[in-house]
Amino acid sequence: MALIVHKYGGTSMGSTERIRNVAKRVAKWVRAGHQMVVVPSAMSGETNRLLGLAKELAPSKPGDAYYRELDQLASTGEQVSVGLLAIALQTEGIDAVSYCGWQVPIRTNSAYTKARIESIDDRRIRADLAAGKVVIITGFQGVDAGGNITTLGRGGSDTSAVAVAAAIKADECLIYTDVDGVYTTDPRVVPEARRLERISFEEMLEMASMGSKVLQIRSVEFAGKYRVPIRVLSSFTPWDIPIDEEARSGTLITFEEGESMEQAVVSGIAFNRDEAKVSVLGVPDKPGIAAQILGAVADANIDVDVIIQNVGKDGRTDFSFTVHRNDLARALDVLKTQVVPALGATDVVGDARICKVSVVGIGMRSHVGVASRMFRCLAAEGINIQMISTSEIKISVVIDEKYMELAVRALHREFDLDQSTDTLQGA
């Protein structure tokens, strides 16, 4: 008997028929002798619908009070899902109980709309499991020290599931989604993309951070910190597929880096459309400027990604960085009202028509020339690079958004990711 966590995305919970199929799948695992905890998302489209209603009524300059109510509102989608799934499991003859995040409780900080999990009290979960129940917990949400409901940001149900798996020391966390695993890139952009049978934790972390939508980055961070085995697989396979076959399907995110894994120079191409570039022009070229600019942005709870500073001239320089596109207006407001007057900068400009494309692979540690191949490939397609960021196992470039799909297809061909190999390949 194993302790297993299942996570189901919004498309898996998109209708009563699909919820019934999820219940049948979970019941199959229970009847095979496993203890089960399930973390579902809201029904597909529900969170967007709720946030759309809030946007219609939003004040012109939203503050913390508004974002608190956004979390109060958005959390109700998952509450509906867990209740419906518990009922569907009871219909299958399985004893099931559902909880909201605050009932467990899942403790978070107070950063509304993108809170971080601080602790999980697993006593209630373990008592129910010992009593033979399936425990169903809302994804995406928790509660802060003041008793306010918080949410973890889009895709936060992945993080909830992995965090719960870590807290209860689950044997494995299975993430059921609308794709059958992790691919070399998005098959909707490159039809020749291949499914990977396994990928290292480090590669998955880079893929998630660079824009791959399969898993939320914080869920991968949790998995790495607590060494939670994760498998990404499809919820659209027949629910009655043999359990041994199901347990080996999809893509395993592994912490082992065998010799075979080192043979793949590049394992995947990630991209992110949701980026925007901010440039602070004419700032004094002296120590401490970057800290002043980025400190003000961080105080506004805005995450910064790629950063570049131009060579100084006549005692002035330009400082550019990328943020999530949804944070662009807020970042510009903070810089114009706080930073420009304090530093005496000449201007602040934003560009929402950019994207980020990245090549990722642990094989880059032992192979040289990946960057030059990437840059030559993009140059051959007439694609100008605006910004560059690197780590040990990835190279990212910021380019004009209109060239994104062209760049991804060209790089996928350049690194032979459409070719079947003996490393990191799928069926």
Side-chain angles (χ1 to χ4, degrees):
M1 180 175 69
L3 176 52
I4 304 293
V5 174
H6 278 193
K7 183 268 175 179
Y8 291 93
T11 50
S12 308
M13 302 290 294
S15 66
T16 53
E17 184 58 35
R18 288 182 178 177
I19 292 172
R20 186 176 291 114
N21 286 336
V22 168
K24 290 180 181 294
R25 191 183 300 273
V26 173
K28 176 184 70 178
W29 282 75
V30 172
R31 291 174 184 132
H34 300 297
Q35 290 184 308
M36 297 297 298
V37 175
V38 185
V39 179
S41 298
M43 298 175 75
S44 58
E46 182 61 10
T47 303
N48 285 341
R49 185 185 73 84
L50 293 169
L51 294 179
L53 293 174
K55 189 174 181 180
E56 290 182 26
L57 301 170
S60 58
K61 284 202 171 182
D64 272 357
Y66 169 74
Y67 291 111
R68 179 198 181 277
E69 301 310 324
L70 271 191
D71 280 359
Q72 184 87 343
L73 178 68
S75 65
T76 61
E78 279 70 21
Q79 186 171 343
V80 170
S81 289
V82 295
L84 291 174
L85 183 55
I87 292 169
L89 277 164
Q90 290 162 10
T91 302
E92 290 292 319
I94 302 296
D95 199 0
V97 59
S98 70
Y99 294 116
C100 294
W102 61 267
Q103 292 175 299
V104 175
I106 297 173
R107 297 286 185 190
T108 76
N109 64 15
S110 299
Y112 299 121
T113 73
K114 43 180 151 182
R116 291 187 175 271
I117 295 174
E118 295 179 341
S119 66
I120 296 177
D121 187 337
D122 65 347
R123 288 174 293 181
R124 199 168 191 175
I125 300 171
R126 291 192 179 280
D128 285 329
L129 290 172
K133 297 178 181 179
V134 172
V135 180
I136 310 167
I137 303 170
T138 52
F140 177 59
Q141 64 182 254
V143 61
D144 70 6
N148 301 297
I149 292 175
T150 57
T151 66
L152 310 182
R154 301 311 298 265
S157 294
D158 290 345
T159 302
S160 301
V162 176
V164 167
I168 64 176
K169 295 180 171 58
D171 294 285
E172 192 167 36
C173 181
L174 277 60
I175 308 285
Y176 288 86
T177 182
D178 54 358
V179 295
D180 61 351
V182 180
Y183 277 70
T184 51
T185 195
D186 189 334
R188 291 169 297 186
V189 175
V190 183
E192 299 80 16
R194 294 181 296 106
R195 180 176 61 82
L196 307 175
E197 287 184 356
R198 58 175 55 212
I199 186 171
S200 75
F201 155 74
E202 288 180 279
E203 287 172 315
M204 191 66 244
L205 184 61
E206 291 285 12
M207 293 280 277
S209 69
M210 293 304 113
S212 172
K213 305 298 185 186
V214 177
L215 289 176
Q216 191 202 44
I217 183 171
R218 277 191 281 164
S219 70
V220 186
E221 290 171 345
F222 252 104
K225 183 175 181 180
Y226 297 101
R227 299 191 74 79
V228 178
I230 300 179
R231 185 175 294 274
V232 178
L233 62 172
S234 173
S235 62
F236 295 120
T237 55
W239 69 265
D240 55 354
I241 182 176
I243 199 166
D244 289 343
E245 180 183 342
E246 186 171 3
R248 294 192 306 270
S249 65
T251 299
L252 175 66
I253 300 172
T254 178
F255 298 91
E256 303 298 326
E257 293 184 13
E259 290 183 6
S260 64
M261 296 185 71
E262 294 177 6
Q263 296 170 17
V265 180
V266 171
S267 298
I269 311 293
F271 57 88
N272 190 353
R273 290 184 171 95
D274 298 328
E275 300 249 338
K277 184 170 72 170
V278 178
S279 296
V280 186
L281 309 178
V283 297
D285 187 14
K286 62 182 183 181
I289 293 300
Q292 285 183 258
I293 294 172
L294 298 180
V297 173
D299 289 344
N301 201 23
I302 297 171
D303 291 327
V304 170
D305 188 12
V306 183
I307 303 169
I308 188 168
Q309 182 171 331
N310 292 341
V311 176
K313 183 179 180 181
D314 300 327
R316 296 274 171 174
T317 187
D318 297 337
F319 188 90
S320 299
F321 56 91
T322 61
V323 297
H324 193 282
R325 198 169 290 185
N326 291 345
D327 291 327
L328 176 60
R330 211 149 44 99
L332 292 174
D333 182 62
V334 166
L335 293 169
K336 288 177 180 177
T337 58
Q338 298 178 30
V339 175
V340 170
L343 295 182
T346 57
D347 199 5
V348 177
V349 294
D351 183 0
R353 298 183 302 277
I354 56 110
C355 68
K356 182 173 61 178
V357 177
S358 310
V359 297
V360 178
I362 56 174
M364 291 166 61
R365 288 174 176 157
S366 53
H367 291 77
V368 297
V370 176
S372 61
R373 283 181 66 184
M374 180 182 190
F375 301 156
R376 277 198 305 268
C377 174
L378 295 176
E381 299 293 341
I383 300 172
N384 185 49
I385 297 171
Q386 300 180 26
M387 305 171 79
I388 301 169
S389 172
T390 66
S391 76
E392 193 178 21
I393 65 168
K394 75 99 173 59
I395 303 168
S396 298
V397 295
V398 172
I399 61 174
D400 193 305
E401 182 183 33
K402 66 184 179 182
Y403 295 121
M404 189 200 73
E405 294 193 6
L406 174 62
V408 171
R409 288 193 293 267
L411 290 169
H412 200 269
R413 287 193 305 270
E414 172 67 25
F415 291 101
D416 300 321
L417 293 176
D418 54 343
Q419 302 298 314
S420 178
T421 69
D422 293 328
T423 60
L424 291 173
Q425 81 166 53

